[in-house]
mmCIF file of all heavy atoms in Angstrom:
data_model
loop_
_atom_site.group_PDB
_atom_site.id
_atom_site.type_symbol
_atom_site.label_atom_id
_atom_site.label_comp_id
_atom_site.label_asym_id
_atom_site.label_seq_id
_atom_site.Cartn_x
_atom_site.Cartn_y
_atom_site.Cartn_z
ATOM 1 N N ASP A 62 19.063 -26.053 -45.991
ATOM 2 C CA ASP A 62 20.274 -26.150 -46.900
ATOM 3 C C ASP A 62 20.976 -27.477 -46.551
ATOM 4 O O ASP A 62 22.230 -27.620 -46.914
ATOM 5 C CB ASP A 62 21.159 -24.934 -46.447
ATOM 6 C CG ASP A 62 21.646 -24.930 -44.991
ATOM 7 O OD1 ASP A 62 21.166 -25.753 -44.187
ATOM 8 O OD2 ASP A 62 22.378 -23.946 -44.582
ATOM 9 N N ASN A 63 20.292 -28.413 -45.977
ATOM 10 C CA ASN A 63 20.919 -29.871 -45.620
ATOM 11 C C ASN A 63 21.947 -29.728 -44.577
ATOM 12 O O ASN A 63 22.847 -30.684 -44.613
ATOM 13 C CB ASN A 63 21.461 -30.461 -46.992
ATOM 14 C CG ASN A 63 20.327 -31.016 -47.692
ATOM 15 O OD1 ASN A 63 19.119 -31.134 -47.335
ATOM 16 N ND2 ASN A 63 20.640 -31.338 -49.031
ATOM 17 N N THR A 64 21.991 -28.737 -43.729
ATOM 18 C CA THR A 64 22.890 -28.755 -42.588
ATOM 19 C C THR A 64 22.038 -29.083 -41.359
ATOM 20 O O THR A 64 20.836 -29.038 -41.292
ATOM 21 C CB THR A 64 23.493 -27.322 -42.403
ATOM 22 O OG1 THR A 64 22.500 -26.425 -42.153
ATOM 23 C CG2 THR A 64 24.319 -26.949 -43.526
ATOM 24 N N TYR A 65 22.831 -29.539 -40.335
ATOM 25 C CA TYR A 65 22.241 -29.865 -39.054
ATOM 26 C C TYR A 65 22.633 -28.911 -37.934
ATOM 27 O O TYR A 65 21.808 -28.599 -37.039
ATOM 28 C CB TYR A 65 22.614 -31.294 -38.605
ATOM 29 C CG TYR A 65 22.038 -31.700 -37.255
ATOM 30 C CD1 TYR A 65 20.726 -32.124 -37.257
ATOM 31 C CD2 TYR A 65 22.750 -31.515 -36.038
ATOM 32 C CE1 TYR A 65 20.078 -32.401 -36.100
ATOM 33 C CE2 TYR A 65 22.094 -31.827 -34.902
ATOM 34 C CZ TYR A 65 20.875 -32.273 -34.837
ATOM 35 O OH TYR A 65 20.216 -32.633 -33.699
ATOM 36 N N ARG A 66 23.824 -28.208 -38.189
ATOM 37 C CA ARG A 66 24.291 -27.223 -37.145
ATOM 38 C C ARG A 66 24.399 -27.826 -35.729
ATOM 39 O O ARG A 66 23.673 -27.359 -34.859
ATOM 40 C CB ARG A 66 23.495 -25.999 -37.218
ATOM 41 C CG ARG A 66 23.346 -25.426 -38.718
ATOM 42 C CD ARG A 66 22.428 -24.226 -38.820
ATOM 43 N NE ARG A 66 22.124 -24.093 -40.161
ATOM 44 C CZ ARG A 66 21.296 -23.145 -40.672
ATOM 45 N NH1 ARG A 66 20.727 -22.308 -39.931
ATOM 46 N NH2 ARG A 66 21.022 -23.045 -42.030
ATOM 47 N N PRO A 67 25.172 -28.798 -35.614
ATOM 48 C CA PRO A 67 25.302 -29.573 -34.399
ATOM 49 C C PRO A 67 25.703 -28.801 -33.088
ATOM 50 O O PRO A 67 25.531 -29.149 -32.062
ATOM 51 C CB PRO A 67 26.239 -30.668 -34.700
ATOM 52 C CG PRO A 67 27.199 -30.125 -35.821
ATOM 53 C CD PRO A 67 26.215 -29.226 -36.541
ATOM 54 N N ASP A 68 26.480 -27.590 -33.425
ATOM 55 C CA ASP A 68 27.013 -26.789 -32.297
ATOM 56 C C ASP A 68 26.025 -25.644 -31.881
ATOM 57 O O ASP A 68 26.381 -24.875 -30.948
ATOM 58 C CB ASP A 68 28.399 -26.353 -32.595
ATOM 59 C CG ASP A 68 29.360 -27.552 -32.846
ATOM 60 O OD1 ASP A 68 29.387 -28.424 -31.932
ATOM 61 O OD2 ASP A 68 30.063 -27.451 -33.790
ATOM 62 N N GLN A 69 24.976 -25.614 -32.568
ATOM 63 C CA GLN A 69 24.026 -24.519 -32.198
ATOM 64 C C GLN A 69 23.283 -24.959 -30.939
ATOM 65 O O GLN A 69 22.818 -25.996 -30.766
ATOM 66 C CB GLN A 69 22.970 -24.316 -33.334
ATOM 67 C CG GLN A 69 22.100 -23.215 -33.145
ATOM 68 C CD GLN A 69 21.220 -22.862 -34.508
ATOM 69 O OE1 GLN A 69 21.851 -22.587 -35.459
ATOM 70 N NE2 GLN A 69 19.865 -23.028 -34.341
ATOM 71 N N PRO A 70 23.049 -23.890 -29.994
ATOM 72 C CA PRO A 70 22.401 -24.253 -28.735
ATOM 73 C C PRO A 70 20.957 -24.528 -28.875
ATOM 74 O O PRO A 70 20.206 -24.073 -29.814
ATOM 75 C CB PRO A 70 22.584 -22.943 -27.932
ATOM 76 C CG PRO A 70 22.766 -21.911 -28.831
ATOM 77 C CD PRO A 70 23.426 -22.559 -30.009
ATOM 78 N N VAL A 71 20.468 -25.339 -27.977
ATOM 79 C CA VAL A 71 19.045 -25.657 -27.928
ATOM 80 C C VAL A 71 18.394 -24.843 -26.970
ATOM 81 O O VAL A 71 18.867 -24.489 -25.823
ATOM 82 C CB VAL A 71 18.849 -27.187 -27.505
ATOM 83 C CG1 VAL A 71 17.363 -27.553 -27.366
ATOM 84 C CG2 VAL A 71 19.565 -28.017 -28.380
ATOM 85 N N ASN A 72 17.162 -24.249 -27.246
ATOM 86 C CA ASN A 72 16.441 -23.404 -26.257
ATOM 87 C C ASN A 72 15.562 -24.223 -25.296
ATOM 88 O O ASN A 72 15.344 -25.392 -25.565
ATOM 89 C CB ASN A 72 15.745 -22.259 -27.019
ATOM 90 C CG ASN A 72 14.444 -22.727 -27.717
ATOM 91 O OD1 ASN A 72 13.684 -23.468 -27.201
ATOM 92 N ND2 ASN A 72 14.203 -21.994 -28.879
ATOM 93 N N CYS A 73 15.055 -23.564 -24.335
ATOM 94 C CA CYS A 73 14.301 -24.212 -23.288
ATOM 95 C C CYS A 73 13.129 -24.998 -23.671
ATOM 96 O O CYS A 73 12.948 -26.157 -23.350
ATOM 97 C CB CYS A 73 13.783 -23.144 -22.167
ATOM 98 S SG CYS A 73 15.195 -22.395 -21.329
ATOM 99 N N LEU A 74 12.345 -24.378 -24.633
ATOM 100 C CA LEU A 74 11.092 -24.992 -25.019
ATOM 101 C C LEU A 74 11.388 -26.162 -25.980
ATOM 102 O O LEU A 74 10.693 -27.188 -25.954
ATOM 103 C CB LEU A 74 10.183 -24.065 -25.704
ATOM 104 C CG LEU A 74 8.718 -24.374 -25.954
ATOM 105 C CD1 LEU A 74 8.093 -24.872 -24.705
ATOM 106 C CD2 LEU A 74 7.864 -23.276 -26.491
ATOM 107 N N GLU A 75 12.348 -25.993 -26.791
ATOM 108 C CA GLU A 75 12.758 -27.119 -27.767
ATOM 109 C C GLU A 75 13.148 -28.374 -27.011
ATOM 110 O O GLU A 75 12.775 -29.567 -27.273
ATOM 111 C CB GLU A 75 13.939 -26.719 -28.645
ATOM 112 C CG GLU A 75 13.465 -25.588 -29.702
ATOM 113 C CD GLU A 75 14.585 -24.883 -30.366
ATOM 114 O OE1 GLU A 75 15.681 -24.858 -29.730
ATOM 115 O OE2 GLU A 75 14.305 -24.184 -31.336
ATOM 116 N N ALA A 76 14.038 -28.143 -25.928
ATOM 117 C CA ALA A 76 14.495 -29.307 -25.112
ATOM 118 C C ALA A 76 13.399 -29.968 -24.452
ATOM 119 O O ALA A 76 13.289 -31.111 -24.285
ATOM 120 C CB ALA A 76 15.598 -28.634 -24.102
ATOM 121 N N LEU A 77 12.558 -29.073 -23.764
ATOM 122 C CA LEU A 77 11.304 -29.549 -23.042
ATOM 123 C C LEU A 77 10.470 -30.452 -24.037
ATOM 124 O O LEU A 77 9.956 -31.588 -23.543
ATOM 125 C CB LEU A 77 10.543 -28.470 -22.380
ATOM 126 C CG LEU A 77 9.258 -28.909 -21.709
ATOM 127 C CD1 LEU A 77 9.533 -29.685 -20.571
ATOM 128 C CD2 LEU A 77 8.481 -27.508 -21.365
ATOM 129 N N THR A 78 10.218 -29.961 -25.180
ATOM 130 C CA THR A 78 9.365 -30.691 -26.017
ATOM 131 C C THR A 78 9.887 -32.014 -26.501
ATOM 132 O O THR A 78 9.226 -32.999 -26.522
ATOM 133 C CB THR A 78 9.026 -29.876 -27.290
ATOM 134 O OG1 THR A 78 8.635 -28.528 -26.915
ATOM 135 C CG2 THR A 78 7.892 -30.454 -28.140
ATOM 136 N N MET A 79 11.232 -32.052 -26.725
ATOM 137 C CA MET A 79 11.941 -33.300 -27.119
ATOM 138 C C MET A 79 11.893 -34.308 -25.974
ATOM 139 O O MET A 79 11.603 -35.431 -26.193
ATOM 140 C CB MET A 79 13.305 -32.976 -27.551
ATOM 141 C CG MET A 79 13.395 -32.466 -29.045
ATOM 142 S SD MET A 79 15.033 -32.354 -29.461
ATOM 143 C CE MET A 79 15.574 -30.808 -28.645
ATOM 144 N N VAL A 80 12.189 -33.835 -24.810
ATOM 145 C CA VAL A 80 12.157 -34.715 -23.604
ATOM 146 C C VAL A 80 10.721 -35.326 -23.381
ATOM 147 O O VAL A 80 10.662 -36.590 -23.090
ATOM 148 C CB VAL A 80 12.682 -34.033 -22.399
ATOM 149 C CG1 VAL A 80 12.470 -34.916 -21.149
ATOM 150 C CG2 VAL A 80 14.244 -33.657 -22.519
ATOM 151 N N LEU A 81 9.750 -34.544 -23.509
ATOM 152 C CA LEU A 81 8.409 -35.076 -23.173
ATOM 153 C C LEU A 81 7.961 -36.008 -24.321
ATOM 154 O O LEU A 81 7.283 -36.997 -23.938
ATOM 155 C CB LEU A 81 7.440 -33.969 -23.029
ATOM 156 C CG LEU A 81 7.636 -32.988 -21.783
ATOM 157 C CD1 LEU A 81 6.504 -31.941 -21.736
ATOM 158 C CD2 LEU A 81 7.661 -33.754 -20.545
ATOM 159 N N ASP A 82 8.337 -35.668 -25.489
ATOM 160 C CA ASP A 82 7.901 -36.583 -26.518
ATOM 161 C C ASP A 82 8.684 -37.994 -26.409
ATOM 162 O O ASP A 82 8.233 -39.015 -26.568
ATOM 163 C CB ASP A 82 8.309 -36.080 -27.944
ATOM 164 C CG ASP A 82 7.061 -35.271 -28.466
ATOM 165 O OD1 ASP A 82 5.981 -35.552 -28.036
ATOM 166 O OD2 ASP A 82 7.403 -34.414 -29.326
ATOM 167 N N GLY A 83 10.050 -37.925 -26.017
ATOM 168 C CA GLY A 83 10.773 -39.074 -25.721
ATOM 169 C C GLY A 83 10.294 -39.855 -24.627
ATOM 170 O O GLY A 83 10.351 -41.116 -24.653
ATOM 171 N N ALA A 84 9.779 -39.247 -23.579
ATOM 172 C CA ALA A 84 9.216 -39.871 -22.412
ATOM 173 C C ALA A 84 7.803 -40.389 -22.691
ATOM 174 O O ALA A 84 7.114 -40.999 -21.717
ATOM 175 C CB ALA A 84 9.240 -38.970 -21.225
ATOM 176 N N ASN A 85 7.286 -40.172 -23.866
ATOM 177 C CA ASN A 85 5.931 -40.800 -24.300
ATOM 178 C C ASN A 85 4.771 -40.140 -23.564
ATOM 179 O O ASN A 85 3.832 -40.825 -23.167
ATOM 180 C CB ASN A 85 6.004 -42.307 -24.175
ATOM 181 C CG ASN A 85 4.979 -43.005 -24.978
ATOM 182 O OD1 ASN A 85 4.609 -42.475 -26.073
ATOM 183 N ND2 ASN A 85 4.362 -44.106 -24.558
ATOM 184 N N TYR A 86 4.805 -38.833 -23.354
ATOM 185 C CA TYR A 86 3.630 -38.182 -22.705
ATOM 186 C C TYR A 86 2.736 -37.493 -23.740
ATOM 187 O O TYR A 86 1.861 -36.784 -23.376
ATOM 188 C CB TYR A 86 4.284 -37.026 -21.892
ATOM 189 C CG TYR A 86 4.958 -37.506 -20.597
ATOM 190 C CD1 TYR A 86 6.279 -37.356 -20.435
ATOM 191 C CD2 TYR A 86 4.199 -38.043 -19.603
ATOM 192 C CE1 TYR A 86 6.962 -37.720 -19.325
ATOM 193 C CE2 TYR A 86 4.839 -38.450 -18.425
ATOM 194 C CZ TYR A 86 6.225 -38.314 -18.302
ATOM 195 O OH TYR A 86 6.816 -38.727 -17.103
ATOM 196 N N GLY A 87 2.882 -37.916 -25.078
ATOM 197 C CA GLY A 87 2.190 -37.315 -26.065
ATOM 198 C C GLY A 87 0.692 -37.459 -25.838
ATOM 199 O O GLY A 87 -0.206 -36.470 -26.122
ATOM 200 N N GLU A 88 0.193 -38.628 -25.439
ATOM 201 C CA GLU A 88 -1.207 -39.001 -25.271
ATOM 202 C C GLU A 88 -1.811 -37.990 -24.273
ATOM 203 O O GLU A 88 -2.924 -37.523 -24.311
ATOM 204 C CB GLU A 88 -1.454 -40.390 -25.014
ATOM 205 C CG GLU A 88 -2.878 -40.790 -25.053
ATOM 206 C CD GLU A 88 -3.155 -42.262 -24.851
ATOM 207 O OE1 GLU A 88 -2.220 -43.049 -25.318
ATOM 208 O OE2 GLU A 88 -4.077 -42.654 -24.213
ATOM 209 N N GLN A 89 -1.112 -37.926 -23.036
ATOM 210 C CA GLN A 89 -1.658 -37.103 -21.982
ATOM 211 C C GLN A 89 -1.652 -35.550 -22.475
ATOM 212 O O GLN A 89 -2.530 -34.895 -22.088
ATOM 213 C CB GLN A 89 -0.702 -37.229 -20.725
ATOM 214 C CG GLN A 89 -0.762 -38.646 -20.263
ATOM 215 C CD GLN A 89 0.262 -38.828 -19.070
ATOM 216 O OE1 GLN A 89 0.059 -38.100 -18.064
ATOM 217 N NE2 GLN A 89 1.198 -39.785 -19.213
ATOM 218 N N ILE A 90 -0.583 -35.230 -23.113
ATOM 219 C CA ILE A 90 -0.554 -33.876 -23.623
ATOM 220 C C ILE A 90 -1.826 -33.499 -24.605
ATOM 221 O O ILE A 90 -2.348 -32.458 -24.624
ATOM 222 C CB ILE A 90 0.754 -33.402 -24.203
ATOM 223 C CG1 ILE A 90 1.834 -33.475 -23.161
ATOM 224 C CG2 ILE A 90 0.806 -32.049 -24.972
ATOM 225 C CD1 ILE A 90 3.302 -33.416 -23.680
ATOM 226 N N ALA A 91 -1.969 -34.498 -25.497
ATOM 227 C CA ALA A 91 -3.165 -34.277 -26.429
ATOM 228 C C ALA A 91 -4.352 -34.140 -25.722
ATOM 229 O O ALA A 91 -5.348 -33.350 -26.159
ATOM 230 C CB ALA A 91 -3.194 -35.496 -27.399
ATOM 231 N N LYS A 92 -4.611 -34.769 -24.556
ATOM 232 C CA LYS A 92 -5.860 -34.635 -23.801
ATOM 233 C C LYS A 92 -5.985 -33.192 -23.303
ATOM 234 O O LYS A 92 -7.079 -32.624 -23.283
ATOM 235 C CB LYS A 92 -5.998 -35.624 -22.641
ATOM 236 C CG LYS A 92 -6.220 -37.065 -23.112
ATOM 237 C CD LYS A 92 -6.248 -38.048 -21.957
ATOM 238 C CE LYS A 92 -6.396 -39.461 -22.399
ATOM 239 N NZ LYS A 92 -6.315 -40.390 -21.230
ATOM 240 N N MET A 93 -4.910 -32.694 -23.011
ATOM 241 C CA MET A 93 -5.010 -31.216 -22.488
ATOM 242 C C MET A 93 -5.449 -30.266 -23.540
ATOM 243 O O MET A 93 -6.077 -29.258 -23.251
ATOM 244 C CB MET A 93 -3.559 -30.794 -22.039
ATOM 245 C CG MET A 93 -3.101 -31.523 -20.741
ATOM 246 S SD MET A 93 -1.625 -30.778 -20.061
ATOM 247 C CE MET A 93 -2.122 -29.136 -19.606
ATOM 248 N N LYS A 94 -5.156 -30.589 -24.782
ATOM 249 C CA LYS A 94 -5.476 -29.754 -25.881
ATOM 250 C C LYS A 94 -7.055 -29.736 -25.960
ATOM 251 O O LYS A 94 -7.524 -28.741 -26.504
ATOM 252 C CB LYS A 94 -4.881 -30.247 -27.229
ATOM 253 C CG LYS A 94 -3.445 -30.031 -27.334
ATOM 254 C CD LYS A 94 -2.912 -30.453 -28.679
ATOM 255 C CE LYS A 94 -1.284 -30.350 -28.843
ATOM 256 N NZ LYS A 94 -0.876 -30.861 -30.162
ATOM 257 N N LYS A 95 -7.624 -30.730 -25.710
ATOM 258 C CA LYS A 95 -9.058 -30.871 -25.867
ATOM 259 C C LYS A 95 -9.905 -30.243 -24.740
ATOM 260 O O LYS A 95 -11.128 -30.071 -24.874
ATOM 261 C CB LYS A 95 -9.489 -32.320 -25.953
ATOM 262 C CG LYS A 95 -8.925 -33.038 -27.186
ATOM 263 C CD LYS A 95 -9.225 -34.529 -27.199
ATOM 264 C CE LYS A 95 -8.565 -35.270 -28.372
ATOM 265 N NZ LYS A 95 -8.816 -36.662 -28.312
ATOM 266 N N GLN A 96 -9.279 -29.733 -23.716
ATOM 267 C CA GLN A 96 -9.963 -29.177 -22.608
ATOM 268 C C GLN A 96 -10.542 -27.717 -23.007
ATOM 269 O O GLN A 96 -9.815 -26.903 -23.575
ATOM 270 C CB GLN A 96 -9.050 -29.012 -21.386
ATOM 271 C CG GLN A 96 -8.568 -30.339 -20.770
ATOM 272 C CD GLN A 96 -7.642 -30.239 -19.624
ATOM 273 O OE1 GLN A 96 -7.245 -29.022 -19.296
ATOM 274 N NE2 GLN A 96 -7.294 -31.261 -19.011
ATOM 275 N N LYS A 97 -11.792 -27.650 -22.765
ATOM 276 C CA LYS A 97 -12.436 -26.290 -23.050
ATOM 277 C C LYS A 97 -12.543 -25.386 -21.889
ATOM 278 O O LYS A 97 -12.530 -25.912 -20.774
ATOM 279 C CB LYS A 97 -13.825 -26.541 -23.620
ATOM 280 C CG LYS A 97 -13.886 -27.331 -24.961
ATOM 281 C CD LYS A 97 -15.313 -27.494 -25.505
ATOM 282 C CE LYS A 97 -15.287 -28.223 -26.839
ATOM 283 N NZ LYS A 97 -16.791 -28.443 -27.354
ATOM 284 N N ASN A 98 -12.554 -24.106 -22.157
ATOM 285 C CA ASN A 98 -12.717 -23.119 -21.040
ATOM 286 C C ASN A 98 -11.548 -23.220 -20.030
ATOM 287 O O ASN A 98 -11.816 -22.922 -18.852
ATOM 288 C CB ASN A 98 -14.099 -23.261 -20.332
ATOM 289 C CG ASN A 98 -15.235 -23.066 -21.334
ATOM 290 O OD1 ASN A 98 -15.128 -22.240 -22.159
ATOM 291 N ND2 ASN A 98 -16.265 -23.936 -21.171
ATOM 292 N N ALA A 99 -10.404 -23.624 -20.516
ATOM 293 C CA ALA A 99 -9.176 -23.720 -19.604
ATOM 294 C C ALA A 99 -8.761 -22.384 -19.278
ATOM 295 O O ALA A 99 -8.792 -21.414 -20.119
ATOM 296 C CB ALA A 99 -8.182 -24.604 -20.193
ATOM 297 N N SER A 100 -8.207 -22.154 -18.181
ATOM 298 C CA SER A 100 -7.600 -20.847 -17.686
ATOM 299 C C SER A 100 -6.454 -20.599 -18.563
ATOM 300 O O SER A 100 -5.665 -21.442 -19.066
ATOM 301 C CB SER A 100 -7.218 -20.903 -16.198
ATOM 302 O OG SER A 100 -8.383 -21.215 -15.449
ATOM 303 N N PRO A 101 -6.146 -19.257 -18.799
ATOM 304 C CA PRO A 101 -4.973 -18.796 -19.605
ATOM 305 C C PRO A 101 -3.693 -19.265 -18.955
ATOM 306 O O PRO A 101 -3.647 -19.294 -17.739
ATOM 307 C CB PRO A 101 -5.078 -17.325 -19.673
ATOM 308 C CG PRO A 101 -6.451 -17.088 -19.423
ATOM 309 C CD PRO A 101 -6.990 -18.040 -18.430
ATOM 310 N N SER A 102 -2.743 -19.695 -19.666
ATOM 311 C CA SER A 102 -1.515 -20.144 -19.195
ATOM 312 C C SER A 102 -0.746 -19.053 -18.424
ATOM 313 O O SER A 102 -0.726 -17.909 -18.918
ATOM 314 C CB SER A 102 -0.690 -20.746 -20.189
ATOM 315 O OG SER A 102 0.567 -21.063 -19.783
ATOM 316 N N LEU A 103 -0.137 -19.411 -17.249
ATOM 317 C CA LEU A 103 0.805 -18.433 -16.577
ATOM 318 C C LEU A 103 2.043 -18.182 -17.347
ATOM 319 O O LEU A 103 2.749 -17.233 -17.052
ATOM 320 C CB LEU A 103 1.138 -19.063 -15.162
ATOM 321 C CG LEU A 103 -0.143 -19.146 -14.286
ATOM 322 C CD1 LEU A 103 0.473 -19.921 -13.038
ATOM 323 C CD2 LEU A 103 -0.677 -17.910 -13.921
#
Side-chain angles (χ1 to χ4, degrees):
D62 61 357
N63 283 348
T64 61
Y65 181 79
R66 307 177 193 177
D68 298 311
Q69 182 169 305
V71 180
N72 72 39
C73 292
L74 193 52
E75 289 162 346
L77 173 64
T78 311
M79 281 184 285
V80 170
L81 294 184
D82 274 335
N85 202 30
Y86 289 112
E88 189 175 325
Q89 295 177 61
I90 293 170
K92 288 179 181 177
M93 290 188 70
K94 291 183 180 180
K95 297 176 183 178
Q96 293 177 0
K97 294 181 179 179
N98 303 319
S100 301
S102 175
L103 296 174

